[in-house]
C-alpha cells in the first residue's frame, strides 16, 4: 500500500482530483473554499486507469489517497492559514506520513507563499517526493500556464505538470508520475479497512 497526500490552498481542486484518481465520488466538491470540512479524508483502493491507457502500475499496487482540507486562504498571501494550530499540526503529521505528495497550484491564483514554505519543508527536512501540478489550466491562457511553470521551476526548483480536471489534459501524465515515484516506495501493509 502506498500513501499519497494531496495538498494545496483552499479551492485548488484537491477533492476533484481525488475523485478523478479513484474514478468515483468520495469527496465533496463545490466551488466554495473550505468544502472539505474535516481535516482529512482517506480512500483505500486502486487508482482508476483511463480506457486505452496502459496501466502504469501493473495492476498490483493499492493506494491510500488522502484529501486534505485547504491549508491556506488563497486571497491572503502570507498569513492565510485557515485551520486552528492544533488542526494544522494534525494535518502536517498526516502529510509527513505520506509516501508521495501531490502539491496542487491553482492556475487562476498562482503559487501561494505559505504553500511554497511548506513545499520546501516537506522536500528538504522530510525528503518527500513531490509532484507539483498546476490545476485549472482550462481557465487561463496558455501563456499564463507557461509563466506559472517558470515561477514554480524557479521558486520550487521543480517541473510542474499542467492539469485540467475538466478536459483531463495532463491526467495520464500525472498517473505516470505517481507510478514512477511508487516504484521507489517500500509498500506498507494494507490497513484493516474495518477500523475507523
Amino acid at each position: 500500500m502506498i500513501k499519497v497526500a494531496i495538498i494545496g490552498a483552499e479551492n485548488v481542486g484537491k477533492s476533484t482530483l481525488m475523485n478523478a484518481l479513484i474514478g468515483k465520488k468520495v469527496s465533496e466538491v463545490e466551488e466554495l473554499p473550505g468544502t472539505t470540512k474535516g481535516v482529512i479524508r482517506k480512500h483505500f483502493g486502486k487508482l482508476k486507469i483511463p480506457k486505452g491507457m496502459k496501466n502504469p502500475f501493473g495492476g498490483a499496487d493499492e493506494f491510500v489517497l488522502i484529501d486534505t482540507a485547504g491549508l491556506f486562504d488563497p486571497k491572503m498571501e502570507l498569513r492565510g492559514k485557515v485551520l486552528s494550530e492544533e488542526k494544522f499540526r494534525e494535518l502536517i503529521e498526516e502529510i509527513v506520513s505520506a509516501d508521495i505528495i501531490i502539491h496542487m497550484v491553482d492556475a487562476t491564483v498562482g503559487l501561494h507563499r505559505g504553500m511554497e514554505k511548506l513545499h520546501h519543508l516537506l522536500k528538504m527536512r522530510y525528503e518527500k517526493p513531490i509532484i507539483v501540478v498546476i490545476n485549472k489550466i482550462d481557465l487561463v491562457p496558455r501563456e499564463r500556464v507557461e509563466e506559472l511553470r517558470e515561477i514554480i521551476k524557479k521558486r520550487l526548483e521543480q517541473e510542474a505538470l499542467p492539469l485540467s480536471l475538466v478536459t483531463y489534459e495532463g491526467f495520464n501524465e500525472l498517473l505516470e508520475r505517481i507510478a514512477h515515484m511508487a516504484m521507489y516506495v517500500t509498500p506498507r501493509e494494507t490497513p484493516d479497512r474495518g477500523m475507523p
Side-chain angles (χ1 to χ4, degrees):
M1 181 194 74
I2 295 163
K3 192 171 177 183
V4 180
I6 305 170
I7 67 170
E10 284 191 331
N11 210 31
V12 74
K14 296 180 296 295
S15 296
T16 306
L17 177 58
M18 181 170 176
N19 292 343
L21 286 170
I22 60 174
K24 61 183 175 183
K25 186 177 176 183
V26 292
S27 277
E28 276 181 69
V29 176
E30 285 185 38
E31 287 189 22
L32 300 170
T35 302
T36 303
K37 301 282 188 265
V39 177
I40 300 155
R41 291 181 195 271
K42 294 183 185 180
H43 178 79
F44 300 93
K46 296 189 185 302
L47 300 190
K48 173 91 173 150
I49 309 302
K51 284 184 176 132
M53 180 186 181
K54 186 179 177 212
N55 185 347
F57 303 101
D61 290 314
E62 287 236 328
F63 289 80
V64 56
L65 288 174
I66 302 161
D67 175 17
T68 62
L71 290 162
F72 296 92
D73 181 338
K75 295 180 187 81
M76 297 178 70
E77 190 59 26
L78 287 171
R79 296 181 51 214
K81 206 176 339 175
V82 293
L83 301 169
S84 70
E85 202 57 47
E86 180 188 341
K87 293 283 187 192
F88 191 82
R89 270 197 308 272
E90 180 186 331
L91 190 48
I92 296 302
E93 284 175 24
E94 189 70 43
I95 293 166
V96 166
S97 76
D99 299 304
I100 299 168
I101 296 166
I102 300 173
H103 174 182
M104 296 186 77
V105 176
D106 185 332
T108 66
V109 177
L111 180 61
H112 189 281
R113 290 279 184 189
M115 287 303 304
E116 181 179 348
K117 286 181 179 181
L118 177 59
H119 181 100
H120 286 298
L121 176 77
L122 293 167
K123 188 175 179 179
M124 302 303 179
R125 184 187 296 177
Y126 296 103
E127 300 179 342
K128 294 293 172 183
I130 305 173
I131 301 167
V132 181
V133 298
I134 303 169
N135 191 30
K136 304 183 185 180
I137 62 167
D138 50 290
L139 299 178
V140 297
R142 187 56 64 176
E143 303 82 56
R144 170 65 177 153
V145 175
E146 291 310 313
E147 178 188 311
L148 263 174
R149 289 183 82 181
E150 285 302 312
I151 290 167
I152 288 166
K153 188 173 184 177
K154 184 178 175 184
R155 286 171 40 186
L156 300 183
E157 299 173 356
Q158 224 170 311
E159 293 289 339
L161 175 68
L163 178 70
S164 168
L165 294 170
V166 173
T167 66
Y168 280 81
E169 180 183 342
F171 188 73
N172 289 3
E173 290 88 343
L174 176 58
L175 287 172
E176 286 165 3
R177 285 199 193 180
I178 294 169
H180 177 74
M181 287 186 174
M183 289 189 320
Y184 301 99
V185 172
T186 304
R188 309 157 188 248
E189 288 184 32
T190 303
D192 179 354
R193 295 181 192 174
M195 299 295 285

